């Protein structure tokens, strides 16, 4: 059976605080192929956090978009970890895994493209080491307009087929599907269109085996060892 690509979801978030450098390091230690992180734009910087508010994952309060960079950087994101910038994540990964940047908020596309271009140009990384994904078609369109070489991943959580029109028009690389919609039909439909199928978020061995048998290309998991060891 074909190899499943392992995406460490928010880093190895089953082991370390999600979207922190500790979770990134743990994912690499567990031999994840890719690290997935979520980003928002704050004062011209991409910061790595999942929610639009701070309460669930940090000791801060309020909306991420209303906070200053210095306030965000003063917070504890769990076990004494700071909220990292995307640049810190790139430096921490340092070519040891691919990086899937999920654009969560407005004005993230241009900043993500600039950062990726910088690492390709100045650090000699390859475009194949990045995937930029989003639920926001607007942010994905911007990425594609700014750079035709960056791999785009379309996130979907409902069984709609319209994503395929967008995928063809904007030359998407992959579709990132919520586990409940990853049926055999859905997977075949995406594969027929030349898209890789990556499924989130899969934390049980039974689901991993089932999805592998269905032919998905990769899985997002909080526990990378579940995939790597199977
Ligand atoms: O990128 C896959 C997955 O992370 C999307 O959902 O809510 O975990 O960001 P969420
Ligand atoms: Ca995500």
């Amino acid at each position: 059976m074909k190899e499943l690509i392992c995406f460490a979801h928010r880093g190895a978030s089953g082991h370390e605080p999600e979207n922190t450098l500790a979770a990134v390091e743990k994912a690499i230690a567990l031999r994840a192929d890719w690290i997935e992180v979520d980003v928002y734009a704050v004062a011209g910087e991409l910061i790595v956090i999942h929610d639009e508010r701070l309460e669930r994952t940090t000791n801060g309060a309020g909306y991420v978009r209303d906070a200053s960079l210095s306030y965000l950087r003063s917070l504890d994101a769990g076990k004494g970890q700071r909220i990292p910038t995307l640049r810190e994540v790139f430096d921490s990964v340092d070519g040891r895994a691919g990086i899937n940047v999920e654009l969560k908020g407005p004005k993230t596309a241009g900043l993500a493209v600039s950062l990726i271009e910088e690492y390709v140009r100045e650090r000699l990384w390859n475009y194949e080491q990045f995937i930029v994904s989003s639920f926001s078609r607007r942010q994905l369109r911007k990425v594609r307009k700014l750079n035709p070489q960056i791999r785009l991943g379309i996130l979907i959580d409902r069984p709609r087929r319209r994503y395929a029109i967008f995928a063809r028009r904007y030359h998407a690389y992959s579709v990132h599907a919520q586990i409940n919609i990853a049926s055999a039909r859905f997977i075949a439909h995406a594969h027929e269109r030349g898209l890789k199928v990556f499924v989130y978020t899969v934390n049980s061995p039974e689901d991993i085996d089932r999805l592998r048998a269905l032919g998905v290309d990769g899985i997002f998991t909080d526990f990378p060892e579940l995939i790597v060891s199977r």
Side-chain angles (χ1 to χ4, degrees), residues 7 10 24 26 30 35 57 67 78 92 104 108 120 146 151 154 162 188 192 202 204 218-219:
F7 290 80
R10 311 178 194 175
V24 167
K26 185 70 179 177
L30 292 172
I35 316 287
T57 59
S92 169
K104 282 290 189 199
T108 45
V120 169
L146 291 167
R151 289 175 169 182
I154 303 176
R162 258 178 316 179
E192 281 159 18
V202 188
S204 86
I219 274 173

Side-chain angles (χ1 to χ4, degrees), residues 9-10 36-38 50 102 104:
H9 181 241
R10 311 178 194 175
E36 187 254 7
V37 290
D38 306 290
H50 179 273
E102 184 188 338
K104 282 290 189 199

Side-chain angles (χ1 to χ4, degrees), residues 2 17 22 36 66 68 74 83 86 99 104 111 174-175 177 186 198 200 204 221 227:
K2 90 178 168 194
E36 187 254 7
D66 295 338
S68 68
S74 74
I83 299 174
L86 186 60
I99 302 173
K104 282 290 189 199
L111 293 170
S174 49
V175 58
F186 176 88
F198 303 135
Y200 68 92
S204 86
T221 181
I227 296 174

